[in-house]
Structures are given as C-alpha cells and as structure tokens.
Amino acid sequence: MAKKKREEVDIDNAEVSIQNDNNNIKHSFKQKIDDFFKISQRGSSFKKEFIGGLVNFMVISYIMVVIPGLFSGIGGEGLWKALFVATILTTVLATLYMALWANLPVILAPGIGVASFIVGLIQTGEYSYSQAMAISFMAGVLFVILTVTGLRKKIVNAIPKSIKLAIPIGVGLFILNVGLSSSNSGILDLISGTATSFSAIVALVSFIIMAVLYVKNVKGAIFFGILGGTVLDIIIKFCIGINPFEVLRTNSYIPPFGEFFENSFLQFDFAGLFAGNLFSAISSVVLVVFAVVLMDLFDTVGTLLATAQKGNLFDEKGEVINQGRAMLVDGSSAVVSSCFGIPNASSYVESTSGIASGARTGLSGIFTSLFFALSLFISPIIMLIPVYATAPALILVGILMFDGVNKLDFTDLTVAIPAVLTMIMMPLTNNISIGIAVGLISYTFIMMLTGQFKKINAFTYVITALFIVYFVTLYI
C-alpha cells in the first residue's frame, strides 16, 4: 500500500515537473519573441500587437480588390485573378520583410499612386503590360542602389521644397481623375447626365459611405464603403434578374496560382522598351523610371515619418528607428512586386491606424501578413465586389493627398508657379512623370532668370538637364 502511494506521488511529481518544464519553455519562447521585437521595451504587449495587426488588415484590405480592379480593362478575368494573388503575395512578403528586418509596424503593399500611373501608361498605348512591369523592376533596382550608395539623400535635397509638396498633391489629382473616370466609377457620367447603368449610383453610394465614416474616424472606413456598395450592387442585380452569386459556383476557392504563373509572374519585356529610336526610347524610359522612384521615395519617407510620429518610434538621433533598413526594404520589395506582375510595393500611411491601436513593433506586421495570406482562399467572394464599388477608394485616397496644399506658399510666385504646374500637368497629361519634369524645369528657369542661382542645388541642374533632353528627343 505504501509502495503504491509512493508511486502515485512520484507520478504526480513527474507531471508537475513536466508542466513546469512546459511553462518554462513557453515563457522562454515568449521572452525570446519579446526580446527580438523589443515589445516590452517599446511599451507594447502581445495583445496590442495582435489588435494593431488586425486593425491594419481591416483598413488596408481594400487593396486586394482595388489594385486588380485598376487593371480590369487590360487583361480580363485571368489577369484579375493573377493580380489578386500577386497583390496578396507582395503584401505578405514585403510586410514580413519590414517586420523581421526593420522591426517597424509598417505595412507594405502595391502603391495605388504608382499602380494608377502604370495603368495609365498601358491604357494610352505607350507601353505594354510586360514593358510596364520591366519599368517597375528597374525602378525598384534603382531605388535599392540609391539607398545603398547614399544618393537617395542627394536626390531628396535636389528637389525643391515646393515641388516636394506639389508631387503628392498632383498624384492625388491623378488618382482622383482615375477614380472618377467612366471605366472605373462612372460618377462623372452620372453628374453630366450620360450614365447608362446603375453602376455609377453604386459607386456614389459607396463613396458617400466611406467618406462619412472616414470623417467620423471609423477604422476601416474604405473597407466598409466598398462593402456597402457591394451589398447595394447585389440587391440591384437581384431586382433586375441577374444572379450575382453565380461567380461563387463557377470559381474555385483554391488560390488561382495557375493564372498567376501564366499571366503575371516574371512578365518582363525589356527588349520592347528600347525598340525603334534607341535614344528616344532610353530617354523616355529614364524619365518614367525616375518618376516612379521619386513617387516611391517621397511616399516612403512621408509614411515612415507619419508612423514614427504616431508611435514615437525615433532613435537617439531623432531619426526613424531603422530608417535605412526600412528604405532598403521598400526598394527591394518593389523589385519583388514587379516580378509578381504588380507595380512597386510601398509603405502605406494607413499603418498609423494599427499604431493608434497599440502596435509598436514588427510583430503586428506578422499578424497582418497572416490575415492577408488567409485571404488567398476567398477569391470567389472577392470577385463579388465590382470595380465600381472599389473605385471610390481611389477618389477618397486622391482627396486625402491634398493635406499638404496649405503648406505651399502661393504668395511667392517663383515657387508657386512650378508647384501648380507640377500638380496640374499630371492629370492633364495623364502622366505623373511629365508633371514632375515640367515643374522642375519651370522652377530652374524661373530661379535662374530672376537671378537666384545660389538657391538652386547643383544636382537640380543635372536632373533638369535630363528632363530637357527627354523633351527634345520627342521631336527628333
């Protein structure tokens, strides 16, 4: 009897010992995660990082339909499915890279501004889809080179402050124009009385929902606006005898990797970029690549500053924590995204929503990446969302990019004129690079002709000269 009791005691002690060992392992693993991401050091917690990651997914998830939707008039359903996969893979890998390498709660995904620009180049016939992806690839490589060599700072310093402020506003006008167009929302047709279907009404309702929710600081305003527009679209289709759920029956929930590898993966045409007049082709490509790099550069710098200020993520020098690494992540992610067949990945300012919810480290990005990865298995549901329900997101994003207009000094015409030309030329020419070129050339000449040579950065002369060469080649 005593022997049996001793055996039971030994078993109980062994179980307690195993339980303690398991607890120690769990504690040790959790502590290693905490140490790696500096969670406690930055005043955060696992719960806050999870919530922040979930919030970031909610506020940025609209890109899963907006980005493929931008290309809807180019390659049909096959390309849509391919870019659906490409958008998610880019977001997952780029965000993981930022989380693990730079340890920042910043989400990276294909940029709407660059994507709109690239689509514009394709729709005007200037470049094919595969040629546009080759341009995106070169822009990503150049961004990495500029970051590694330190030339990035020289380029930033060479662009006058007024032009720096004007570029995002001009891009906003460009995106706004894309969102309002007949091929996307059709709202302009509705206003002018030329609308021929209910799609413009759905787009208008979708925009009103997201605008009102955004004004009320509702997290995920764009997501809920798209959702509201989709629900209205489904109701209207039922009323007119169309089954909107047919897509659920005819499409597989297995991620469409087949379409991805067939239609968008490594779709480069470098040779086609330089066909015809070689000198003219090179100058044109250089201009477009430089424009993409500038857009990505200012977007990344602005986003990093915004997120750092929101979460007090500055080092002892007053710079953004791991800023160099973050910039390198941004550039190399652009290279990867172009290989997937999607325009340059960039940091999203919506990441501040996750930071406002408590996220302070890259661990939140791990959670966001996980949510995006799971979304790969719901492509038929995503296909229920029409382009005209997502286009209003472009309109709202374009409007939000006007937030720097009050910083422009319109009393000094030497800087106001180039700034306005930069902004207005982008939507008028349907080309962001042309806007930057015209703005910079006008700035340089106005400053020179008013005797303000010393105020012009030496590198500004070089960039201006390159832009002038481009315009000259148009007539050679």
Side-chain angles (χ1 to χ4, degrees):
M1 191 74 176
K3 181 179 179 182
K4 185 175 181 180
K5 285 185 177 181
R6 282 197 301 271
E7 289 176 349
E8 290 176 351
V9 170
D10 289 341
I11 292 173
D12 289 340
N13 289 336
E15 289 177 348
V16 170
S17 178
I18 292 172
Q19 185 64 40
N20 288 335
D21 288 342
N22 288 336
N23 288 336
N24 288 334
I25 292 173
K26 289 179 180 178
H27 177 75
S28 176
F29 178 73
K30 187 175 181 180
Q31 188 60 48
K32 286 180 179 178
I33 298 295
D34 191 306
D35 293 341
F36 180 81
F37 287 106
K38 298 180 173 60
I39 298 172
S40 298
Q41 183 179 325
R42 295 187 186 176
S44 186
S45 66
F46 283 84
K47 181 180 179 181
K48 288 180 180 179
E49 294 299 312
F50 176 80
I51 293 174
L54 177 60
V55 168
N56 273 342
F57 169 73
M58 288 184 62
V59 300
I60 303 177
S61 59
Y62 67 89
I63 63 161
M64 290 189 292
V65 288
V66 172
I67 298 297
L70 279 170
F71 291 81
S72 59
I74 295 173
E77 186 177 302
L79 183 60
W80 188 97
K81 289 181 178 180
L83 297 186
F84 170 75
V85 173
T87 298
I88 293 177
L89 288 180
T90 296
T91 304
V92 169
L93 295 178
T95 301
L96 283 175
Y97 189 12
M98 180 68 81
L100 296 172
W101 179 243
N103 192 21
L104 288 171
V106 176
I107 310 305
L108 286 89
I112 289 179
V114 175
S116 300
F117 177 42
I118 293 297
V119 169
L121 294 176
I122 298 171
Q123 290 178 333
T124 57
E126 189 172 350
Y127 296 105
S128 67
Y129 169 75
S130 54
Q131 290 167 355
M133 289 307 105
I135 287 174
S136 294
F137 179 84
M138 288 188 287
V141 172
L142 179 58
F143 193 101
V144 171
I145 293 172
L146 293 175
T147 301
V148 173
T149 59
L151 286 173
R152 171 178 57 84
K153 289 184 178 180
K154 289 187 177 181
I155 291 179
V156 171
N157 293 333
I159 306 299
K161 181 181 178 181
S162 60
I163 304 296
K164 289 178 185 176
L165 293 171
I167 287 174
I169 299 169
V171 172
L173 279 170
F174 181 88
I175 296 173
L176 187 62
N177 186 48
V178 171
L180 288 168
S181 68
S182 301
S183 59
N184 287 293
S185 70
I187 291 178
L188 282 180
D189 293 338
L190 184 66
I191 295 172
S192 62
T194 58
T196 56
S197 72
F198 63 85
S199 60
I201 296 175
V202 172
L204 183 61
V205 171
S206 179
F207 174 71
I208 291 172
I209 292 172
M210 63 179 67
V212 170
L213 293 180
Y214 197 93
V215 169
K216 289 183 172 293
N217 294 317
V218 175
K219 291 181 174 65
I222 293 178
F223 170 82
F224 289 118
I226 293 174
L227 183 62
T230 302
V231 171
L232 177 60
D233 180 68
I234 290 172
I235 294 172
I236 293 176
K237 284 180 177 176
F238 266 127
C239 291
I240 61 177
I242 299 175
N243 180 11
F245 296 113
E246 182 68 15
V247 68
L248 301 180
R249 186 183 66 83
T250 57
N251 287 276
S252 172
Y253 285 87
I254 298 174
F257 286 112
E259 286 84 350
F260 168 67
F261 286 109
E262 180 181 349
N263 296 302
S264 67
F265 185 64
L266 295 179
Q267 295 291 319
F268 297 130
D269 179 14
F270 289 99
L273 283 176
F274 304 102
N277 187 318
L278 184 60
F279 187 70
S280 178
I282 291 175
S283 61
S284 180
V285 169
V286 168
L287 176 67
V288 175
V289 168
F290 186 66
V292 172
V293 169
L294 281 185
M295 289 168 62
D296 202 8
L297 182 61
F298 294 135
D299 194 28
T300 302
V301 171
T303 298
L304 289 177
L305 286 174
T307 52
Q309 288 169 357
K310 193 77 173 179
N312 193 26
L313 300 173
F314 293 101
D315 57 22
E316 60 279 359
K317 296 180 181 178
E319 297 181 349
V320 178
I321 295 174
N322 295 329
Q323 179 172 301
R325 289 189 175 191
M327 296 296 289
L328 192 58
V329 168
D330 200 286
S332 52
S333 295
V335 175
V336 174
S337 64
S338 62
C339 291
F340 290 162
I342 207 79
N344 301 49
S346 183
S347 304
Y348 266 65
V349 74
E350 286 92 335
S351 303
T352 53
S353 298
I355 293 174
S357 301
R360 293 293 183 274
T361 75
L363 182 60
S364 65
I366 303 291
F367 291 124
T368 302
S369 297
L370 177 61
F371 293 131
F372 269 103
L374 293 174
S375 300
L376 276 170
F377 299 91
I378 59 170
S379 61
I381 296 175
I382 298 296
M383 291 178 72
L384 277 173
I385 304 171
V387 173
Y388 42 85
T390 63
L394 300 175
I395 300 173
L396 183 59
V397 170
I399 293 172
L400 295 175
M401 294 182 77
F402 278 71
D403 62 350
V405 72
N406 62 325
K407 298 176 183 178
L408 284 169
D409 183 9
F410 288 100
T411 61
D412 184 357
L413 292 181
T414 57
V415 296
I417 291 174
V420 172
L421 287 174
T422 300
M423 292 185 286
I424 203 67
M425 282 296 174
M426 291 183 186
L428 287 180
T429 62
N430 199 35
N431 194 315
I432 291 171
S433 56
I434 294 295
I436 296 172
V438 170
L440 200 57
I441 290 172
S442 62
Y443 170 84
T444 303
F445 274 94
I446 289 174
M447 295 297 283
M448 287 172 61
L449 295 174
T450 54
Q452 303 182 64
F453 295 92
K454 293 182 179 180
K455 291 184 178 180
I456 304 175
N457 186 295
F459 207 61
T460 305
Y461 286 113
V462 176
I463 299 174
T464 300
L466 291 174
F467 281 148
I468 293 174
V469 169
Y470 163 74
F471 284 115
V472 169
T473 60
L474 294 178
Y475 297 94
I476 295 177

